[in-house]
Amino acid sequence: MAEDDDQAEPDTEREPEREEDAYSLSPQAVARIIYAVDIGDHDLLLRELSGLHAADVADLLEQINAFDRRRLIELYGSDFDGDVLSELDEGLRQEVIGLLPPDVLADAVRDLESDDVVDLVEDLEDHEQEAILSALEAGDRIAVQQSLTYPEYSAGRLMQREVVMAPEHWNVGEAIDYLRNQEDLPEQFYHIILVDPRLRPVGNVTLGKLMAARREVLLSDLVEETFHVFPVTQDEEDVAYAFNQYHLISAPVVDEDDRLVGVITIDDAMAVLDEEHEEDILRLAGVGEGRLSDRVIDTTRRRFPWLAVNLVTAILASMVIAQFEEAITQVVALAVLMPIVASMGGNAGTQSLTVAVRAIATKDLTGSNVWRFIRREVLVGLVNGVIFAVVMGVVGVLWFGGPELGYVIGAAMVINLVVAGLAGTVIPVILERIGVDPALASGAFVTTVTDVVGFFAFLGLAAAVLL
């Protein structure tokens, strides 16, 4: 591409990064990269990308528009780093794969670990999967195809096939000699897995202990106390929970005959936890698994159902209000104050709901402590309700000049905050017990309860006391 004479090169002087920008791409870095793309300078692009981690390059591809993304990948050419594919968001990964020439794609995936290849191909169309699998060596291709036969979101999909193992009767010297003679060790590994004659894992030895011990020491004398084995069908959420709960670094995966077939490492387990936490946050807001690169129509389609549900709940709340139309007409102050009661109840319910959903996700909320948790949230709602009842009671007296209205809104505030604490904990627990994702469905129910109870309590008490 010819260089535009009117296009000035951006200032290449590197400014010191602010502390909050230390682990993100600066606008200046993005501008320099886009400038290299604009003038078609392959060498300049490589220099700008050379200091970036694959995750940073993936972030760059996600931040820029589709036109610049296509031009950057074309200019990147055969130097494209396969690790970038494993770092890309799933929705964008297919687009990038489609932009890569077949020979570049083949080179990009050959150096990836088997678990990264599985993650790469599992959501692709059959012809796209075949294009990637055909680029692998026969042994690697068979391993990836075998992993794809395991259930989605299982340990078999999460594990990598590259395993470092040793017979349980070996000593340190034999293990070290074996490692030094291997030419295809994984790029990163943390343990040597000890196996019996039938290839069943019996223990882990950390590399630190291995290097610190004398050659004649038996490996079986160095095994870690904490040792967990996962079947290939184990749900990946349970695997990630175990890694976090028991501070695991890596763990073997076994088939139906308890033979070692792979290993799961902490980076993959933490990625699952991160995805689950992100998914819960998005579902609590009713936005699903949205991405920055999604099209308008896709985002609209995901959000519409929950907006429709919220409309229904709003209509229910309005129907409650309509039952007290005469009271509102006679006491205009009720129309001014009733949103306060509903809003406070909604916020209190969301607080309890968020804590409950998080506790369910981390398995901290169980059958043994559920009633204690519910009782705590109800008491918190009661205490907060009393405090804000006093505040709003005073506001009602000072604002509208009569104590009766202060009594009404104060009592309604106590009732609604207690109910909010109860609904925010009981509803997600019930949904979880009946097999419905509490993060996905709880918000609409809690909002409905707090709105309906808030309006009914406030307007009902007002009609009884003031009229």
Side-chain angles (χ1 to χ4, degrees):
M1 182 183 296
E3 181 176 352
D4 189 345
D5 293 334
D6 296 330
Q7 189 172 24
E9 182 176 355
D11 183 8
T12 57
E13 182 178 348
R14 310 294 172 105
E15 298 179 1
E17 290 182 331
R18 296 178 300 170
E19 184 176 348
E20 60 268 28
D21 296 333
Y23 301 105
S24 61
L25 284 171
S26 67
Q28 294 83 2
V30 175
R32 290 192 299 269
I33 293 169
I34 296 301
Y35 173 75
V37 173
D38 287 338
I39 65 175
D41 192 328
H42 176 76
D43 293 334
L44 177 59
L45 177 65
L46 291 185
R47 287 199 299 271
E48 291 295 339
L49 295 177
S50 63
L52 298 180
H53 188 275
D56 294 322
V57 178
D59 285 344
L60 171 69
L61 292 174
E62 292 170 1
Q63 292 174 20
I64 61 180
N65 59 49
F67 175 70
D68 287 336
R69 189 157 51 238
R70 177 181 59 78
R71 294 191 301 147
L72 189 153
I73 291 173
E74 290 176 352
L75 187 61
Y76 208 162
S78 60
D79 294 298
F80 189 89
D81 184 1
D83 288 330
V84 174
L85 292 175
S86 63
E87 299 288 348
L88 278 171
D89 186 89
E90 289 180 9
L92 192 59
R93 190 182 296 161
Q94 286 182 271
E95 176 188 333
V96 172
I97 289 175
L99 294 172
L100 292 172
D103 57 329
V104 174
L105 178 60
D107 290 337
V109 299
R110 284 194 185 105
D111 294 331
L112 294 178
E113 302 286 355
S114 59
D115 59 324
D116 291 329
V117 179
V118 171
D119 184 52
L120 192 65
V121 304
E122 61 182 351
D123 296 320
L124 299 179
E125 301 293 337
D126 290 342
H127 69 279
E128 294 173 324
Q129 285 189 6
E130 184 58 33
I132 292 178
L133 293 175
S134 62
L136 302 176
E137 296 180 0
D140 295 333
R141 182 169 62 253
I142 293 173
V144 171
Q145 290 173 328
Q146 177 64 43
S147 294
L148 290 173
T149 64
Y150 298 126
E152 193 173 8
Y153 308 118
S154 67
R157 291 285 187 98
L158 192 63
M159 71 180 182
Q160 66 180 51
R161 290 283 185 156
E162 296 80 11
V163 178
V164 180
M165 58 182 174
E168 58 183 332
H169 62 268
W170 273 11
N171 61 29
V172 170
E174 289 172 309
I176 292 176
D177 292 340
Y178 168 77
L179 294 177
R180 288 175 175 171
N181 291 327
Q182 294 302 302
E183 297 181 356
D184 58 349
L185 289 175
E187 284 190 13
Q188 293 182 347
F189 66 98
Y190 311 99
H191 292 108
I192 294 180
I193 302 173
L194 303 189
V195 294
D196 66 13
R198 297 182 61 184
L199 290 183
R200 293 179 299 188
V202 296
N204 273 341
V205 177
T206 64
L207 295 182
K209 286 187 176 180
L210 179 74
M211 300 306 297
R214 290 180 169 275
R215 291 181 61 88
E216 62 272 13
V217 175
L218 292 175
L219 294 179
S220 57
D221 293 334
L222 302 176
V223 295
E224 289 191 292
E225 293 183 5
T226 303
F227 180 63
H228 285 265
V229 177
F230 298 102
V232 290
T233 56
Q234 184 77 52
D235 188 279
E236 64 177 17
E237 288 186 41
D238 296 331
V239 173
Y241 173 79
F243 266 75
N244 188 54
Q245 181 77 1
Y246 304 114
H247 311 293
L248 305 179
I249 299 175
S250 69
V253 180
V254 297
D255 62 14
E256 60 276 6
D257 297 319
D258 293 330
R259 292 176 301 185
L260 180 65
V261 292
V263 63
I264 295 174
T265 54
I266 188 171
D267 56 326
D268 294 318
M270 292 305 101
V272 172
L273 276 184
D274 185 55
E275 289 173 4
E276 292 300 320
H277 295 166
E278 178 184 0
E279 182 180 279
D280 286 345
I281 292 172
L282 293 174
R283 286 184 170 183
L284 278 171
V287 297
E289 299 179 7
R291 303 179 180 91
L292 291 177
S293 59
D294 286 347
R295 297 179 302 168
V296 171
I297 186 64
D298 295 329
T299 304
T300 303
R301 189 182 297 116
R302 273 194 302 270
R303 297 184 185 180
F304 178 83
W306 292 107
L307 290 176
V309 171
N310 286 335
L311 176 61
V312 173
T313 62
I315 291 174
L316 291 175
S318 298
M319 291 173 62
V320 173
I321 296 174
Q323 304 304 311
F324 300 94
E325 182 178 354
E326 181 179 350
I328 296 174
T329 302
Q330 295 184 35
V331 185
V332 180
L334 298 180
V336 177
L337 295 176
M338 66 181 184
I340 298 175
V341 178
S343 176
M344 290 295 291
N347 286 333
T350 300
Q351 290 174 341
S352 297
L353 169 63
T354 303
V355 174
V357 169
R358 178 74 183 113
I360 290 172
T362 58
K363 304 185 187 300
D364 291 329
L365 185 57
T366 63
S368 61
N369 65 359
V370 63
W371 291 112
R372 185 168 69 251
F373 179 76
I374 292 173
R375 184 169 61 250
R376 187 198 72 175
E377 292 299 315
V378 170
L379 290 176
V380 168
L382 176 62
V383 173
N384 280 331
V386 170
I387 294 173
F388 287 107
V390 173
V391 173
M392 286 308 303
V394 173
V395 170
V397 172
L398 296 178
W399 196 348
F400 298 102
E404 294 85 0
L405 194 56
Y407 298 151
V408 168
I409 193 171
M413 189 77 73
V414 172
I415 293 172
N416 204 23
L417 262 66
V418 169
V419 171
L422 181 64
T425 51
V426 171
I427 288 176
V429 169
I430 292 175
L431 291 175
E432 196 269 338
R433 293 287 173 86
I434 63 177
V436 178
D437 187 347
L440 184 62
S442 297
F445 289 111
V446 172
T447 300
T448 301
V449 170
T450 55
D451 283 351
V452 170
V453 170
F455 289 136
F456 187 82
F458 179 58
L459 297 176
L461 289 172
V465 174
L466 302 179
L467 300 182

